[in-house]
Amino acid sequence: MAMVLNNISRSSEQAVKIVAMLSLKDCQMFLKLISRNQEQGYLAAVLGNIAVTDGGRELLHQESLFTELISLLTMPGNIIVRRNIARLLRNLSFDTKTHTTLLEFLPQIVYPLVGGEEVEEDDMEKLPLDLQYLPEDKCRESDLQTRILLSDTLFQIGGTFSVREKFREENYYVLLKNYDQWEEDMDARERIQNVIYLIVQEDGKVDLRKDGELPQGLEKEDHVVHVERDSQNLELSIENRGS
């Protein structure tokens, strides 16, 4: 059943219809089944699929559901679940109305990208408590696609001023720079460097939104946004990734 639901919900039109039939309790039941190792991958994929719809995003970013949902981002032993939860977060991030919720869970979103590198004491004290004094053997997320999806999520929500403030106040730069230096895949490095540039640039030079809206094309799932840096400004360019 979950496999059929996943296949159907891949269509955005069908995903809208499925969301109309789902309640908060239904989504909570999905999460319980995932946590009990029952049809994990398919159910996580369904949640990621419905997150492309307005109704799905509104349903999924409710705090009563989101706390349990984001805990699956570090679920051991199941890359497919982690990847689909990361995809869900990326899809949520396309809607600015979800950014307040995502901001509340920023340490959990960043955690999979963090390793066990030594951090200076002064820098450590500024970090969120959940990201302080991690063990030296702390491993980063092993799945490349999951890491890329999380970087894209951070970039999307970084278009909101309050998120950029939080990035800076809580010293996320240090952790993301360590990840950038660790990452070997060039595409993944480019994605996280986009986020780093948002943090280090003056806000006057980072104008991603007008009246709360993203530039045309930026919010679409089939596009990836590249940030090119010169000595003065950030320039956004949008490359069509295709289907």
Side-chain angles (χ1 to χ4, degrees), residues 163-211:
V163 177
R164 295 197 300 278
E165 276 194 321
K166 183 67 71 174
F167 280 155
R168 294 162 184 154
E169 290 172 358
E170 298 191 346
N171 210 22
Y172 281 94
Y173 168 82
V174 172
L175 300 179
L176 299 182
K177 190 62 178 176
N178 283 341
Y179 164 52
D180 174 39
Q181 293 173 346
W182 172 89
E183 180 62 72
E184 297 180 351
D185 182 85
M186 294 308 297
D187 183 37
R189 290 197 66 186
E190 182 179 7
R191 307 300 182 95
I192 199 60
Q193 287 170 4
N194 291 347
V195 182
I196 292 171
Y197 293 158
L198 289 181
I199 297 173
V200 301
Q201 289 292 309
E202 298 176 15
D203 278 316
K205 306 263 175 46
V206 185
D207 185 13
L208 299 184
R209 302 182 188 282
K210 182 177 181 181
D211 299 326

Side-chain angles (χ1 to χ4, degrees), residues 25-53:
K25 289 185 177 180
D26 292 326
C27 291
Q28 290 171 332
M29 180 188 67
F30 283 4
L31 293 179
K32 288 180 180 179
L33 290 174
I34 293 171
S35 66
R36 294 172 183 170
N37 299 321
Q38 297 182 30
E39 299 189 283
Q40 293 174 318
Y42 292 125
L43 288 175
V46 171
L47 295 177
N49 293 342
I50 66 173
V52 303
T53 71

Side-chain angles (χ1 to χ4, degrees), residues 120-168:
E120 296 291 336
E121 191 67 27
D122 288 346
D123 288 327
M124 184 74 74
E125 292 176 354
K126 299 175 185 176
L127 294 173
L129 291 176
D130 289 345
L131 298 176
Q132 291 184 10
Y133 302 104
L134 298 178
E136 293 182 4
D137 60 353
K138 162 68 171 71
C139 295
R140 288 184 171 89
E141 169 57 54
S142 61
D143 179 55
L144 172 63
Q145 289 304 311
T146 298
R147 299 197 303 270
I148 288 176
L149 288 164
L150 292 175
S151 295
D152 286 349
T153 300
L154 294 173
F155 180 73
Q156 289 288 341
I157 65 176
T160 295
F161 176 71
S162 60
V163 177
R164 295 197 300 278
E165 276 194 321
K166 183 67 71 174
F167 280 155
R168 294 162 184 154

Side-chain angles (χ1 to χ4, degrees), residues 54-73:
D54 291 339
R57 288 192 287 263
E58 184 175 349
L59 181 63
L60 292 170
H61 87 276
Q62 296 184 53
E63 190 166 352
S64 59
L65 181 68
F66 201 80
T67 301
E68 185 174 357
L69 188 154
I70 203 166
S71 69
L72 299 175
L73 189 59

